[in-house]
Amino acid sequence: MARWDPDIYALYRRYRERPAQDLMAMLPADMAPREIWDLGCGMGEQAAALAERFQQARVRGLDSSPEMLRRARALSDRVEWIEGGIEDFSSDAPADLIFTNAALHWVGDHKMLIPRLATALAPSGVLAIQVPVVDSLGWRGSLAEVIQVGTWAAKLTNIAGAGPTASPEDYYSWLAPLCGEIDIWTTTYLHALRGEDPIVEWTMGATLRPYLDALDNGERSLFLDAWRARLARRFPRREDGVTLFPFKRLFIVARRSAARGGLAFAQT
């Protein structure tokens, strides 16, 4: 993945943190985890919150971005911060909680990934997931259109951006053989954003990074202007200065069945 920009990513922190807080609020009340992983931990807010909430637990935060991890390491010394990709995740012990917020859409093949994460759980362990719903509608669709129609298409078309989200029914089917309790839901947050180009600004910290890094300064400016024009038509700024930005997210809280066969765990 291209580098992330923590400063830009943090501009809309209160909007980005809300889904993570909503996911954390749905963790089972009877949990007393000893082994916790936050996969795609970013700047570390959720991993630090989990370490504060579960004082007895060993908490590890995994992220592929050294820029994000630099911020995370300054946030808490209760968490073990590890640089690495979710696709390579492995643990030296079964996890009581695997928490991942707004990260799995950057990882491919969820049909294989989701069961693999579930098998890394201890009996009665919990897998808690929040992922943006990536589809061809709305602002992501307009971005895909701009990528394909400009002079930059040859440079951008094959860049691996965020992948599509599977259906809730698919996630249930992949988890059902392993988890006795599965709760899946979607929420659409309607963000009221202010500023000249708030959707472009929102995406500068993450979604746009792979594309912008592939362009020179002149191409980058033309590319952003073309996307701004499409966004202005689809998401016009209101007379009160607000741009309404609907953002759909999928949530999963799944609990591993109490009985399971033996598993081998690789060293991290």
Side-chain angles (χ1 to χ4, degrees), residues 178-244:
L178 299 163
C179 298
E181 302 172 28
I182 304 171
D183 189 10
I184 301 178
W185 70 98
T186 60
T187 298
T188 298
Y189 298 85
L190 185 62
H191 302 309
L193 306 182
R194 294 187 178 275
E196 291 295 321
D197 296 298
I199 298 177
V200 172
E201 192 173 60
W202 175 293
T203 56
M204 281 282 194
T207 301
L208 281 179
R209 296 314 312 171
Y211 307 109
L212 298 183
D213 288 347
L215 301 175
D216 61 37
N217 288 337
E219 291 173 317
R220 198 174 295 145
S221 179
L222 291 172
F223 171 74
L224 290 175
D225 285 345
W227 192 34
R228 287 187 181 102
R230 289 177 185 257
L231 288 173
R233 293 193 295 270
R234 293 196 184 190
F235 303 95
R237 189 164 33 161
R238 292 161 44 93
E239 291 184 1
D240 59 3
V242 167
T243 299
L244 294 178

Side-chain angles (χ1 to χ4, degrees), residues 19-29 31 33 35-41 46-47 50 53-54 60 62 86 89 95-105 110 113-122 124-132 171 175 179 181-185 249-256:
Q21 293 165 354
D22 290 349
L23 178 62
M24 207 171 293
M26 295 303 294
L27 296 177
M31 288 189 68
E35 296 282 341
I36 296 175
W37 281 88
D38 182 355
L39 303 184
C41 63
Q46 284 75 56
L50 289 168
R53 177 173 172 179
F54 300 110
R60 284 171 281 187
L62 176 75
I86 296 173
F89 163 71
D96 300 301
L97 172 62
I98 296 175
F99 185 94
T100 177
N101 178 69
L104 295 192
H105 56 307
H110 283 195
L113 175 68
I114 298 302
R116 186 166 69 82
L117 295 180
T119 59
L121 294 170
S124 300
V126 172
L127 176 61
I129 296 169
Q130 184 275 118
V131 62
Y171 287 107
L175 288 166
C179 298
E181 302 172 28
I182 304 171
D183 189 10
I184 301 178
W185 70 98
R249 298 178 183 266
L250 180 140
F251 296 80
I252 303 170
V253 176
R255 198 160 203 174
R256 187 77 196 269

